[in-house]
Every structure is written in structure tokens, then in C-alpha cells.
Amino acid sequence: MADTDTAAKRETDSIGTDELSQKAKRAKADNENGRGEDAKESESENILSGFKTSSVLSDSAREKIIFIRGKLADQEAVVVLEKTPIREDSLAELFSGSRLKLEMRNDIYSTYRLQAPPHLNEIKTTVVCPATEKHIKKYQRQESFLVEETGEDYQSITLPYIQKQSFSVQWVYNILEKKAEGDRIVYEDPDPEVGFVLLPDLKWDQKQVDDLYLIAIAHQRDIGSLRDLTSEHLPLLQNIFQKGKEAILQHYNLPASKLRVYLHYQPSYYHLHVHFTKLGYEAPGCGVERAHLLSDVIQNLQSDPEYYKTRTLYFPLRADDGLLSKFKEAGRL
Ligand code: DD3
């Protein structure tokens, strides 16, 4: 795991050079888990060759992403394919090492199909398997509706619903216990009260800092969401804010003035976590209807210890979300 010590040794101004040290570090960490870099590469040989597509859940031409539902060895699976941004440090190789097929020429204009070398033409791929009905729903294109949730609505509608659902956060515990993604940890404060783990979110391939997306996961396990926060948690929140910003400056050379640091409400998993994304990158869920700036959260708790227990909060729910039905049944929509 990287601490500020190893971080200081790294090149902070270029992710390209940083990658080398990260690779080496990863290989070391993997070996400690009994699986080397080679194992990881051959391991991923190619479990998707047997994937049988059932349907396209959604796609976006602009974002160059597609969510596919299908079967992987008889199990329901969701596969996400996403083309990644073109990196400036790959340009020289892209121009010199590619095949170029002319499409058309007209006056001063011409278009081509450029066939890049395979390593510059990778598609970021995420697999969820076995996927539950919830995973499949999550990626299905859906209309959404803004819900108004009073403190009482939270107690009588939302809380019972999320308790009954008992969403699994096993993957979060795996991270906290170093059973998974240990080699991806950027910073850790191991304190059980105010400590946390900072690591890249699944959505970020770490190839360029432009779409930087890290999450800070609290070691404390009894905070589900914004609604559970009181002034009692200020030391934890301030610690995540302070040390998270410092670690990101160290590792990625990005100052706090380039960061959007926020919590989601509703979150996609009920274990306290904070999002760190680069300002200017419109990460999914960073809009005003879902994101609460950590600075605001801290100030609100400072002026009213029970702020998030009492205030009405607004958030969007998708048409097929079970919680939306509960709000409808209660006549709150
Ligand atoms: C998730 C929200 C959750 C599908 C997908 C993602 N960051 C994660 C497992 C490991 C992770 C995350 C649920 C799940 Cl695609 C269903 O996210 C994760 N590891 N957001 C990291 N680093």
C-alpha cells in the first residue's frame, strides 16, 4: 500500500511515468497475494469469449459506452464496454505506429480510419457476474423522478426500505480488509474512528488525470449515508477531507482547487464514502440533485449537529426503483 513516503518518491507531474512505479508496486503486492502481474494478465485470458449477449441495456454514442446483459457460463452477467480518452503521451506512437485507411478526400479536407496498435486501442471492460436483478435494472435506461424526503419520510419510508433490501457491501469490506484491490490503495489512515481508505473508483482507469475519480471509504462501518451524520462525525469528515486532498496532491499533483469532493444522497451503497473527482470532469452523479459538497456537509453539521436528521433532502429515483414505489404508496409523490 502506498503511503506518503512512497508517494513522495514518485513523479507527480505525469501519470505516464507514475505508471511504471505503480506497475512495479502492483507486481510486488500481487506476489504477496500469491498472484503476480503475469497471473493477472493470463487470468483475464478471455473469460468473455463465452459471453452470450441477451440484450443491450443502454448505450451512449457520445460517451462511447455500452451496457450489455448476457450469460456467462449459465450465470446472469452485465458487461460494460467503454472507449477511453486518447492520451496525449500516446500521440507520437499513435501517429507513427498505426495504419491509415483513407475514407475520403475533398479540397483541403480528408477523413481516415486509423488502425492503432492494439495496446493503444484497448476498451475498458467491467464485468458483474453473477449479476442480480438490481444490477441489471441499474444499467437499464430509465426515466427518473425527483423525490422530496423529509426527516420523517426518511424514518418511515426510506430507512425501512433500505434495511429490508440489505444491500451487500461485501466488496467494501474486502477493500477495508485488504482482501481485494490492496494494490490500488493510494492512501490509508488506519484509525478505526476517523480512518479511511482512499483508492481509485472502479469507473476510473487511471490512464489520465482528466477524469480522476477516487473514493474515500470510512473504516467505521455503522454510517450508512448522509442521514446518519451528526456533529459527532465531524472529526472523521474533516480527516477525510484534509488527508484525502493531501494524498491527491502528492500522487496526482492536483491541488484542492481542482477537486470536487462530495457525498451522494441517495448513495449507491450504504457505507460512508466520499467522492473525489476532478473539477471539469462531469462524473455521473455529480449534479446538484445528488451531490452534496463535503465542505457544505461539514459546515451544515457545524451550525446544526442534527442538520441531516431534520432537513428535507431531494434526490432523483429511477422509475423502476422500489423506493419510488414506496414514496408513491405513501402519497409523497
Ligand atoms: C458497483 C458501486 C459498486 C456494479 C458496478 C459497481 N470502486 C464497486 C466493486 C468494487 C467498486 C467501486 C456495483 C464495486 Cl460496475 C455494481 O462499485 C469497487 N471497487 N466503485 C472500487 N474501487
Side-chain angles (χ1 to χ4, degrees):
M1 155 206 0
D3 49 27
T4 41
D5 205 5
T6 44
K9 280 186 229 136
R10 295 210 202 153
E11 290 257 356
T12 47
D13 58 351
S14 145
I15 271 209
T17 21
D18 193 44
E19 218 169 37
L20 288 171
S21 67
Q22 200 140 24
K23 267 234 165 82
K25 191 191 71 181
R26 220 179 271 154
K28 181 173 169 284
D30 280 338
N31 285 332
E32 281 159 10
N33 300 336
R35 10 183 294 179
E37 188 72 11
D38 288 346
K40 216 173 221 169
E41 297 216 323
S42 62
E43 199 179 1
S44 37
E45 201 178 286
N46 165 359
I47 62 154
L48 289 178
S49 60
F51 183 77
K52 297 272 184 295
T53 299
S54 349
S55 64
V56 171
L57 295 166
S58 59
D59 64 356
S60 161
R62 193 179 60 82
E63 294 163 271
K64 299 182 178 56
I65 193 165
I66 185 166
F67 301 86
I68 311 143
R69 173 187 187 169
K71 281 265 165 75
L72 203 52
D74 277 344
Q75 287 187 306
E76 280 287 347
V78 172
V79 172
V80 185
L81 301 178
E82 181 179 9
K83 293 221 186 159
T84 51
I86 298 164
R87 293 165 54 187
E88 193 175 340
D89 62 5
S90 73
L91 290 179
E93 202 186 347
L94 204 56
F95 289 133
S96 66
S98 299
R99 276 173 56 128
L100 199 62
K101 302 261 181 93
L102 179 71
E103 288 239 277
M104 72 86 180
R105 214 196 281 281
N106 179 351
D107 189 44
I108 61 169
Y109 309 98
S110 51
T111 62
Y112 303 84
R113 281 169 296 136
L114 183 148
Q115 299 180 336
H119 69 280
L120 294 180
N121 198 19
E122 295 182 333
I123 295 176
K124 177 171 149 58
T125 303
T126 309
V127 178
V128 184
C129 183
T132 64
E133 198 56 40
K134 267 211 118 50
H135 291 115
I136 291 159
K137 275 187 175 172
K138 173 174 160 157
Y139 295 122
Q140 226 145 20
R141 212 188 301 281
Q142 282 285 322
E143 207 180 337
S144 55
F145 299 87
L146 195 76
V147 170
E148 188 178 326
E149 180 199 67
T150 64
E152 293 81 62
D153 292 333
Y154 172 71
Q155 290 299 333
S156 64
I157 305 169
T158 310
L159 185 58
Y161 178 78
I162 58 185
Q163 280 170 343
K164 193 159 65 77
Q165 292 288 311
S166 65
F167 300 103
S168 169
V169 286
Q170 187 55 52
W171 67 270
V172 171
Y173 297 156
N174 289 346
I175 289 171
L176 295 175
E177 292 165 15
K178 318 289 146 50
K179 290 177 181 162
E181 304 190 51
D183 53 332
R184 288 159 48 88
I185 293 174
V186 168
Y187 175 83
E188 175 174 21
D189 176 342
D191 188 277
E193 288 299 313
V194 302
F196 65 98
V197 166
L198 180 74
L199 82 170
D201 187 274
L202 204 72
K203 287 185 277 298
W204 185 36
D205 67 6
Q206 305 177 67
K207 294 272 166 61
Q208 58 284 312
V209 84
D210 311 67
D211 56 347
L212 174 135
Y213 198 144
L214 295 124
I215 44 173
I217 302 177
H219 272 298
Q220 255 193 75
R221 297 191 177 193
D222 50 5
I223 312 165
S225 76
L226 198 56
R227 282 285 190 202
D228 289 334
L229 293 173
T230 65
S231 53
E232 192 188 311
H233 303 106
L234 281 168
L236 168 65
L237 298 172
Q238 281 158 333
N239 191 50
I240 291 177
F241 199 30
Q242 206 46 51
K243 303 237 179 85
K245 288 189 294 192
E246 280 167 21
I248 290 171
L249 179 61
Q250 288 265 1
H251 270 75
Y252 306 102
N253 201 27
L254 267 191
S257 59
K258 289 288 175 193
L259 295 178
R260 186 191 286 121
V261 186
Y262 56 98
L263 286 79
H264 278 156
Y265 193 73
Q266 297 287 327
S268 36
Y269 43 101
Y270 292 88
H271 176 109
L272 185 75
H273 60 282
V274 174
H275 304 257
F276 290 76
T277 61
K278 185 166 179 282
L279 202 66
Y281 165 53
E282 287 192 24
C286 80
V288 292
E289 72 277 37
R290 186 149 183 231
H292 297 252
L293 284 181
L294 180 56
S295 310
D296 286 334
V297 172
I298 290 172
Q299 285 197 66
N300 291 337
L301 291 172
Q302 283 168 338
S303 41
D304 176 2
E306 300 277 288
Y307 187 94
Y308 290 101
K309 299 229 178 278
T310 54
R311 293 288 296 208
T312 295
L313 297 177
Y314 303 82
F315 51 84
L317 287 178
R318 294 150 49 95
D320 62 1
D321 196 311
L323 185 54
L324 188 72
S325 319
K326 297 288 175 202
F327 273 86
K328 281 184 181 155
E329 284 165 26
R332 298 289 295 112
L333 210 87

